[in-house]
């Protein structure tokens, strides 16, 4: 159960050149829960080592985990998506503090790139999802339910994709919104229905209410092969010989 508070727009990207981004994300995590957060980086840093660092200032932060390491914080790199994820387990209020999503660029003369996250561990996050990981086959429909607290009832609510920052707005009724995504709102939660999934829909999304966000990972796998027609094809091939 996590949310992100983005201060100036939704620019989550680690800067293209070296240097630490001044962008700040405030994330609240439910005490004792596990959660996962995507860190987006520039394509040019695909090959570089990714890590999570703790403490301030940046120049003296303590490295908690590198990509590939598991433990309280596990980092997985997805170079084809230019994203690495940080998964955590059983965070306590004492784990609140400043963290950095970072990419290692130099060796000795370290000039890394990163952005910081302010993480607070609390009991009731403002926006939450039942399941931060959903999956379906190509052509299927999947739905994601995003809960929000009463203070967010009249705030702008959206479902957005990290990769291209495209968003669907709850209750907006114009044709610029894609009909393959339908959103309904019941005053306590909104439900996003994604219909006719395509493989290209795989990736990271978030639901947001006001400035509070919650990431969700969607995995779309190939449709189950139609064994009937496959068999017919083989029969056809055999009959040709
Ligand atoms: C979340 O969804 C995934 C994939 O659909 C499923 O494997 C997992 O069991 C679900 N977790 C919970 C807590 O519902
Ligand atoms: C959306 O448009 C349809 C048809 O144009 C209309 O019936 C419906 O009331 C509209 N909904 C909202 C929330 O404006
Ligand atoms: C609607 O969404 C689908 C799947 O994400 C995409 O392939 C299609 O291009 C979108 N259409 C428009 C008009 O944006
Ligand atoms: C997916 O949702 C659409 C729109 O609600 C519906 O018409 C369709 O039957 C659904 N498909 C499946 C496989 O459930």
């Amino acid at each position: 159960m996590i949310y992100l508070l983005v201060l100036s727009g939704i620019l989550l990207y680690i800067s293209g050149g070296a240097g630490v981004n001044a962008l700040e994300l405030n994330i609240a995590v439910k005490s004792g829960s596990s959660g996962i957060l995507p860190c987006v980086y520039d394509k040019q840093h695909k090959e570089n080592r990714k890590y999570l660092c703790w403490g301030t200032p940046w120049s003296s932060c303590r490295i908690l985990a590198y990509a590939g390491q598991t433990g309280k914080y596990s980092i997985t790199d997805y170079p084809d998506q230019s994203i690495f994820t940080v998964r955590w387990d059983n965070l306590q209020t004492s784990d609140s503090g400043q963290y950095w999503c970072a990419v290692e660029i130099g060796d000795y003369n370290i000039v890394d790139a990163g952005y910081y996250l302010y993480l607070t561990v609390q009991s009731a996050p403002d926006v939450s999802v039942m399941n931060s990981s959903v999956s379906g086959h190509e052509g299927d429909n999947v739905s994601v339910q995003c809960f929000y607290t009463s203070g967010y009832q009249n705030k702008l609510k959206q479902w957005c994709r990290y990769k291209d920052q495209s968003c669907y707005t709850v209750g907006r009724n114009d044709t610029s919104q894609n009909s393959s995504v339908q959103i309904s709102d019941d005053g306590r939660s909104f439900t996003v229905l994604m219909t006719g999934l395509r493989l290209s829909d795989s990736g990271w999304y978030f639901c947001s209410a006001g400035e509070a966000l919650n990431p969700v990972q969607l995995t779309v796998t190939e449709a189950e092969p139609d064994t009937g027609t496959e068999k017919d094809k083989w029969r056809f091939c055999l009959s040709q010989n």
Side-chain angles (χ1 to χ4, degrees), residues 110-140:
I110 295 181
V111 194
D112 291 0
Y115 55 81
Y116 71 86
L117 314 166
Y118 196 84
L119 191 98
T120 10
V121 182
Q122 46 176 225
S123 55
D126 296 334
V127 169
S128 58
V129 287
M130 201 62 102
N131 195 339
S132 61
S133 168
V134 291
S135 55
H137 290 297
E138 213 177 343
D140 284 355

Side-chain angles (χ1 to χ4, degrees), residues 6-104:
V6 179
L7 292 185
S8 53
I10 306 162
L11 275 167
L12 310 180
Y13 298 89
I14 289 177
S15 63
V20 176
N21 236 319
L23 299 166
E24 181 184 307
L25 303 172
N26 291 326
I27 306 155
V29 184
K30 195 171 181 179
S31 179
S33 71
S34 58
I36 187 164
L37 171 84
C39 294
V40 182
Y41 56 84
D42 195 281
K43 268 198 201 73
Q44 65 174 306
H45 299 320
K46 259 184 195 170
E47 310 288 331
N48 301 61
R49 193 146 74 140
K50 318 301 180 321
Y51 62 94
L52 180 71
C53 208
W54 181 85
T56 184
W58 158 250
S59 54
S60 59
C61 69
R62 182 159 59 85
I63 295 174
L64 297 176
Y66 281 106
Q69 288 183 338
T70 55
K72 181 167 181 172
Y73 301 93
S74 308
I75 300 188
T76 311
D77 194 9
Y78 300 93
D80 53 327
Q81 294 179 55
S82 301
I83 279 177
F84 69 92
T85 58
V86 179
R87 181 184 288 280
W88 51 71
D89 276 318
N90 194 24
L91 287 190
Q92 302 305 322
T93 46
S94 55
D95 293 314
S96 293
Q98 193 158 314
Y99 291 75
W100 308 81
C101 282
V103 172
E104 189 175 86

Side-chain angles (χ1 to χ4, degrees), residues 142-156:
V142 291
S143 68
V144 175
Q145 194 175 8
C146 302
F147 296 89
Y148 51 85
T149 54
S150 54
Y152 286 81
Q153 240 160 21
N154 299 318
K155 298 278 174 72
L156 179 72

Side-chain angles (χ1 to χ4, degrees), residues 139-141 182 193 195-196:
D140 284 355
N141 294 347
Q182 294 161 20
L193 175 69
T195 63

